[in-house]
Amino acid sequence: MTSDSIENLSTESRTFAPSPEFTAQANAQAGLYGEADKDRLAFWDQQAEALIWEKKWDKTLEWESPYAKWFVGGKLNTTVSALDRHVTEGHGGRIAFHFEGEPGDTRTISYAQLLTDVSKAANALTSIGINAGDRVAIYMPLIPEAVVAMLACARIGAIHSVVFGGFSADALLSRIQDADAKLVITADGGFRKGAAFALKPAVDEALKGETNVAQVLVVQRTGQETAWVEGRDLWWHDVVDPQHSTHTPEYFDSEHPLFILYTSGTTAKPKGIFHTTAGYLTQVAYTHKVVFDIKPKTDVYWCTADVGWITGHSYMVYGPLINGATQVIYEGTPDTPHKGRMFEIIEKYGVTILYTAPTLIRTWMKWGDEFPNQFNLSSLRLLGSVGEPINPEAWIWYRHVIGGGNCPIVDTWWQTETGAIMISPLPGVTATKPGSAMKPIPGISAKVVDDKGVPVPNGHGGFLILDQPWPSMLRGVWGEDERYKETYWSRFPGIYFAGDGAKLDEDGAIWLMGRVDDVMNVSGHRISTTEVESALVSHEAVAEAAVVGAADPLTGQGIVAFVILRGGVEHADGDVLIKELRNHVAKEIGAIAKPRQIMVVNELPKTRSGKIMRRLLKDVAENRAVGDATTLADPNVMKLISEGLKSSKDED
Ligand code: PRX
């Protein structure tokens, strides 16, 4: 890609300045940028004061590219900052979570209650032999115990690795193995789309593989029949409920690992992104305060992400709890039992701040305005978006139909690797443009550069890079130091390359243009093309597979696969086979990775060196005339593919 290979197709001239009333009460004022620029490290020192420290740090930053240590020499316990302090400060009665189960069951959990729950769970983990530094896999539905489990790990210094409950047994196994987890915390199941789904069988299946998991702690959520391995499986209520309700925290080093979270890369093997304690907590708390303008006494904040993703970690668990926010968590799907469910929840709890993803906003748009219009959404005062570029049309719809035309929208750009928000408007300061994440938040340095690493002028596009270390940056890829250096720090030596293309408009606002590598973004979730290809090839009928992310009006990108079948192998034909392959991918990786479409082809377009030219397949998948194919080893191939298409559309 050259610096201007990303076309500037749309220009957006509308801007939306915050109202004077919003600005007057905003946590972050315009002066924050200057303050951070004056002395970046002193600025971060000041933000770190939001945490409760057992021992203050000696040095703000030690930076030996690409290794950072923040708040060096400090000691703290994550949950003291997130829980104990609120109780000590007299806010134990404040609601931490309004939990709404999909079947309609509810729970109200105060900060004091949450501290008790976490203390009991921490005692329970210790009682079954979990120590600081041990890895614990958490594979749960979106219920309060998932949050309690994460915080209990943090309390005793164990490292959690949350695996999204929609992932398959195989995906779970590879993550358990990679982190060498000792314990799995799961549930019998959860509720989704109006029915109970099972989770425990996937754990049982995964643990048939080779692991060092000695115990499985199972929360009873659905009450469904659950197979049991005596000596290994323990009910959460049997182990946690009888524990002492207080727990004396231990204090850990600033750089003590807090969690591992797996994300897709350009190879089939997921990357264990790991984050440490003080820097991560500082930046999630700071961004949650300035970007979401949280007022803990009056706001009701709802981040719709699952705990299985980084957004759930940073903006449902750690950031909001440190700031003492009152939150909503909802277990289920947006259309159960009706398409107005989420709007009903906003009305019911008086949600003031909503943080969600473009894919859901587009789904709501598709369903129609009548669903949000049936409910009173006037409590909302701020809206957020994350996970993929939000198209201006969806942005405007979000502003008007959900926000009633008077809520600032913060389009927040960040990644699993960055740990916290990096580029976003400040809601009381920035005049926003629909579709732009605008500029780096105070304290963060991001640039758009050409292929030589030179910053591009306004009006041009290139690669998005981060040229200064930041507190919540990943500290590595678990157990794969070379991969860490190679993936993030080699494209421009010594500089973090985020993998995204971006452009600067005439005013210098940043517009994200999607990933430049072979990683797709489906409903805001990163899925590597290679991982889906490997899953397809692991089916006996498939000889070779190539996968591309094709533009999709609902999910941002949809997965389109091209497969070559193996000769001489008995297999189903036509639609039956395609269905089987789609299900096979779901089994290998999880339902989110199911291809939208699979085309059986005889050949794949390859260069003379054997590299698949995904660009051409993308043209086919997006129903475009096929682009320049002159470097193909066999120029006829694209004609054959276009003629030989045999496709199956997604029926789910
Ligand atoms: O491509 C960018 C896109 O999502 C990627 C990060 O994915 P993940 O690590 O799963 O984290 C998602 C939640 C933070 C980025 O490299 N992305 C995320 N937010 C935005 C975005 N693209 C455009 N605009 C955003 N606001």
Side-chain angles (χ1 to χ4, degrees):
M1 192 182 88
T2 58
S3 56
D4 254 338
S5 65
I6 298 176
E7 296 282 332
N8 179 356
L9 291 177
S10 57
T11 43
E12 181 59 66
S13 51
R14 290 169 289 189
T15 58
F16 295 85
S19 68
E21 297 76 41
F22 194 100
T23 301
Q25 61 81 61
N27 289 347
Q29 299 293 330
L32 208 60
Y33 290 102
E35 234 177 88
D37 286 347
K38 201 168 67 204
D39 186 342
R40 212 173 72 89
L41 295 185
F43 177 81
W44 283 115
D45 279 340
Q46 204 185 323
Q47 306 317 320
E49 296 287 350
L51 305 179
I52 305 290
W53 294 86
E54 174 66 8
K55 174 182 174 293
K56 287 272 167 78
W57 58 102
D58 308 313
K59 198 173 168 195
T60 313
L61 170 68
E62 248 174 52
W63 175 232
E64 272 175 54
S65 174
Y67 305 103
K69 287 185 182 156
W70 281 85
F71 309 114
V72 184
K75 280 198 176 305
L76 73 172
N77 183 296
T78 298
T79 59
V80 170
S81 290
L83 301 172
D84 305 57
R85 63 107 67 86
H86 302 305
V87 177
T88 313
E89 289 165 10
H91 307 307
R94 184 185 297 158
I95 293 164
F97 289 108
H98 292 288
F99 168 69
E100 179 93 8
E102 199 190 71
D105 56 318
T106 60
R107 280 155 71 181
T108 308
I109 303 166
S110 66
Y111 272 90
Q113 184 63 48
L114 191 59
L115 175 59
T116 303
D117 292 349
V118 170
S119 299
K120 284 186 169 190
N123 286 325
L125 293 184
T126 305
S127 79
I128 60 172
I130 302 301
N131 297 309
D134 287 344
R135 271 81 63 204
V136 175
I138 298 178
Y139 184 64
M140 301 266 269
L142 188 45
I143 55 175
E145 285 82 357
V147 178
V148 172
M150 290 166 74
L151 292 169
C153 288
R155 186 141 185 118
I156 64 165
I159 305 168
H160 58 70
S161 161
V162 182
V163 180
F164 172 57
F167 277 133
S168 67
D170 289 345
L172 174 62
L173 173 62
S174 65
R175 286 158 175 77
I176 289 173
Q177 287 172 329
D178 190 79
D180 192 17
K182 234 170 125 173
L183 170 74
V184 179
I185 306 179
T186 187
D188 50 357
F191 293 98
R192 221 183 115 74
K193 295 190 180 173
F197 68 92
L199 271 178
K200 175 71 167 38
V203 176
D204 294 339
E205 180 63 31
L207 294 183
K208 285 182 189 153
E210 210 170 302
T211 74
N212 288 316
V213 172
Q215 269 142 346
V216 178
L217 204 47
V218 189
V219 174
Q220 191 166 39
R221 167 66 182 140
T222 60
Q224 68 205 107
E225 206 41 56
T226 299
W228 211 248
V229 176
E230 285 305 330
R232 185 197 72 184
D233 299 349
L234 302 163
W235 283 113
W236 171 278
H237 53 259
D238 286 343
V239 184
V240 175
D241 290 359
Q243 297 292 333
H244 205 281
S245 60
T246 61
H247 176 272
T248 309
E250 209 186 308
Y251 295 93
F252 300 98
D253 191 85
S254 287
E255 284 294 334
H256 186 78
L258 181 60
F259 65 86
I260 306 171
L261 186 59
Y262 286 85
T263 187
S264 291
T266 49
T267 73
K269 190 168 178 276
K271 289 182 295 209
I273 303 301
F274 84 91
H275 285 283
T276 60
T277 305
Y280 171 79
L281 298 178
T282 296
Q283 197 175 330
V284 295
Y286 156 71
T287 48
H288 185 256
K289 187 175 93 192
V290 300
V291 174
F292 297 111
D293 194 48
I294 193 81
K295 306 285 191 298
K297 287 200 193 83
T298 48
D299 276 317
V300 179
Y301 163 89
W302 186 12
C303 163
T304 67
D306 190 273
V307 277
W309 312 114
I310 190 67
T311 309
H313 284 57
S314 302
Y315 297 108
M316 192 172 82
V317 180
Y318 295 109
L321 292 177
I322 291 171
N323 289 332
T326 293
Q327 304 188 65
V328 169
I329 35 174
Y330 170 54
E331 177 187 30
T333 42
D335 53 350
T336 308
H338 58 79
K339 293 190 169 89
R341 182 73 188 268
M342 299 187 83
F343 312 119
E344 186 176 52
I345 294 173
I346 292 171
E347 178 181 295
K348 176 172 174 187
Y349 295 105
V351 171
T352 57
I353 301 167
L354 180 69
Y355 190 30
T356 193
T359 184
L360 183 61
I361 299 168
R362 289 191 295 263
T363 303
W364 285 339
M365 279 174 81
K366 188 183 86 173
W367 288 343
D369 298 7
E370 65 265 34
F371 299 102
N373 287 347
Q374 279 165 34
F375 298 93
N376 180 357
L377 307 182
S378 63
S379 56
L380 288 170
R381 67 179 194 93
L382 177 63
L383 302 173
S385 172
V386 64
E388 54 176 315
I390 176 165
N391 37 316
E393 195 192 336
W395 195 102
I396 293 286
W397 184 89
Y398 195 29
R399 179 171 168 96
H400 288 289
V401 181
I402 305 300
N406 50 27
C407 299
I409 296 182
V410 286
D411 175 8
T412 61
W413 179 89
W414 58 294
Q415 308 178 292
T416 305
E417 291 87 343
T418 69
I421 294 169
M422 304 293 283
I423 303 176
S424 167
L426 291 180
V429 178
T430 316
T432 50
K433 302 183 183 190
S436 170
M438 302 305 293
K439 63 177 185 168
I441 56 163
I444 295 300
S445 179
K447 296 202 166 75
V448 180
V449 300
D450 66 16
D451 49 9
K452 306 253 170 358
V454 179
V456 302
N458 289 353
H460 292 261
F463 303 93
L464 180 66
I465 55 114
L466 303 166
D467 60 349
Q468 296 285 342
W470 63 101
S472 66
M473 65 191 278
L474 76 166
R475 298 303 195 262
V477 176
W478 191 256
E480 296 185 283
D481 195 43
E482 273 313 307
R483 195 174 179 195
Y484 170 61
K485 290 191 270 189
E486 171 63 29
T487 309
Y488 303 107
W489 303 92
S490 66
R491 180 66 184 77
F492 305 103
I495 286 176
Y496 178 90
F497 170 47
D500 284 353
K503 67 169 196 198
L504 297 177
D505 69 13
E506 295 303 334
D507 305 320
I510 299 173
W511 294 74
L512 275 308
M513 311 291 282
R515 309 218 22 108
V516 301
D517 56 19
D518 291 336
V519 178
M520 301 171 287
N521 189 326
V522 181
S523 298
H525 301 309
R526 270 158 69 185
I527 298 171
S528 87
T529 52
T530 326
E531 219 175 339
V532 179
E533 285 163 6
S534 309
L536 284 164
V537 175
S538 74
H539 188 281
E540 65 206 359
V542 177
E544 206 175 347
V547 165
V548 295
D552 187 290
L554 221 50
T555 58
Q557 286 193 312
I559 303 177
V560 177
F562 298 81
V563 297
I564 300 179
L565 299 181
R566 275 173 69 180
V569 178
E570 285 272 341
H571 54 71
D573 271 336
D575 291 350
V576 178
L577 174 66
I578 282 164
K579 196 164 181 187
E580 205 177 295
L581 293 179
R582 294 182 65 240
N583 290 336
H584 181 72
V585 175
K587 183 185 157 288
E588 294 287 310
I589 307 177
I592 43 165
K594 237 183 190 184
R596 177 185 82 183
Q597 208 174 357
I598 296 180
M599 302 179 183
V600 176
V601 295
N602 293 320
E603 289 291 341
L604 288 169
K606 287 187 185 161
T607 61
R608 259 153 278 206
S609 64
K611 237 176 160 339
I612 293 175
M613 292 190 67
R614 287 201 180 71
R615 175 172 60 79
L616 302 179
L617 294 173
K618 213 169 145 123
D619 289 340
V620 175
E622 293 179 345
N623 299 317
R624 256 196 314 272
V626 173
D628 180 9
T630 46
T631 53
L632 280 182
D634 173 2
N636 263 327
V637 145
M638 286 318 296
K639 194 163 151 263
L640 291 174
I641 289 181
S642 302
E643 282 170 7
L645 292 186
K646 197 172 179 192
S647 62
S648 122
K649 285 272 181 197
D650 190 345
E651 320 97 50
D652 307 330

